[in-house]
Amino acid sequence: MYEYQSAGNGGGGDRTPILKFSAKDGSFVCADRVNIDGAWQTQEREIDAPFKAVFDMAEVEMGWIAFNPAPDFVMVKSGEQRPEKPTDDHKWGFRIRLANKDIGVRELSSSSKNVYTRMISLFQAYEAGKASNPGKVPVVEVTGTERVVQTLSDGKTQTWRVPAWTLSGWTDRPDMLDSVTETTPDVPAPTAPATPAGSVQDDDIFK
């Protein structure tokens, strides 16, 4: 018998399942906690680009993130006062919920400076377009990753991967974004509501 819960919980809970992004190899990985014969295990599956998902930009959080080894978030929403850094282990980053019919609702977070910079660019595109799309959420198209080379103070270089993503359209806010119910691989995601004539639409992620 299989039971599902979000990665990072020790027992049953209502945390959103995780989508992890690796700045080292550029992989996107869904992580789920699966109960097999009474024992909880983490199952991971990589998803390939390109893919589209709605990003809940209105609720994006920014703040301090640490893994010791459990995740510790000290976050605020855009426009709120920046929180004090809790420990030297915490790094500045973001946390956001996203969804499509294939992966359900997921939580994506990162404390990579390069990934954070890409999220800021995405948020700026959302800010520029939200007034023209009231009541809608942005659809983000992830086409792959890009290579970033950083030069350190000692002259050495480091190579990272960052998401190659753009705000490709807008769609009606799906009910699934406002639900805390665990979304599992066996449960289909809800269908987005019908679109009023003349609205900007990009909802093929739910078809």
Side-chain angles (χ1 to χ4, degrees):
M1 178 179 179
Y2 289 75
E3 297 177 52
Y4 290 85
Q5 67 177 49
S6 61
N9 267 340
D14 61 1
R15 270 202 64 196
T16 306
I18 303 299
L19 176 65
K20 301 190 293 185
F21 175 76
S22 171
K24 292 183 178 180
D25 62 19
S27 61
F28 285 93
V29 176
C30 291
D32 294 286
R33 292 287 287 172
V34 182
N35 192 319
I36 303 177
D37 298 327
W40 288 100
Q41 303 176 20
T42 299
Q43 287 191 347
E44 297 186 341
R45 59 187 175 96
E46 186 171 350
I47 61 172
D48 297 324
F51 65 89
K52 291 182 180 181
V54 291
F55 275 49
D56 197 1
M57 285 293 183
E59 299 296 324
V60 66
E61 297 176 314
M62 301 172 187
W64 299 105
I65 304 173
F67 297 91
N68 295 313
D72 181 34
F73 295 89
V74 181
M75 314 296 285
V76 295
K77 293 182 180 179
S78 176
E80 296 180 346
Q81 183 175 353
R82 182 186 178 106
E84 293 185 7
K85 186 176 182 178
T87 70
D88 289 340
D89 293 331
H90 283 75
K91 296 181 180 179
W92 190 257
F94 70 88
R95 177 170 62 181
I96 193 168
R97 282 159 59 94
L98 56 99
N100 69 24
K101 65 180 179 61
D102 296 319
I103 64 174
V105 182
R106 295 276 165 177
E107 179 182 288
L108 172 67
S109 64
S110 179
S111 57
S112 161
K113 291 182 179 179
N114 295 308
V115 179
Y116 177 80
T117 298
R118 292 302 174 101
M119 175 53 65
I120 292 299
S121 296
L122 208 57
F123 183 77
Q124 290 171 342
Y126 159 75
E127 287 279 286
K130 67 179 182 180
S132 301
N133 297 277
K136 296 185 178 294
V137 290
V139 176
V140 174
E141 182 174 7
V142 182
T143 56
T145 63
E146 296 176 357
R147 183 171 177 264
V148 174
V149 179
Q150 284 185 314
T151 302
L152 305 179
S153 57
D154 59 4
K156 296 181 180 179
T157 60
Q158 289 183 334
T159 302
W160 306 99
R161 307 298 300 188
V162 296
W165 55 25
T166 56
L167 197 162
S168 64
W170 299 79
T171 190
D172 298 298
R173 184 179 181 87
D175 292 340
M176 62 193 301
L177 269 184
D178 299 314
S179 172
V180 296
T181 302
E182 292 295 341
T183 305
T184 77
D186 298 320
V187 179
T191 301
T195 306
S199 64
V200 179
Q201 187 74 0
D202 187 353
D203 66 352
D204 59 333
I205 56 176
F206 294 108
K207 294 178 181 178

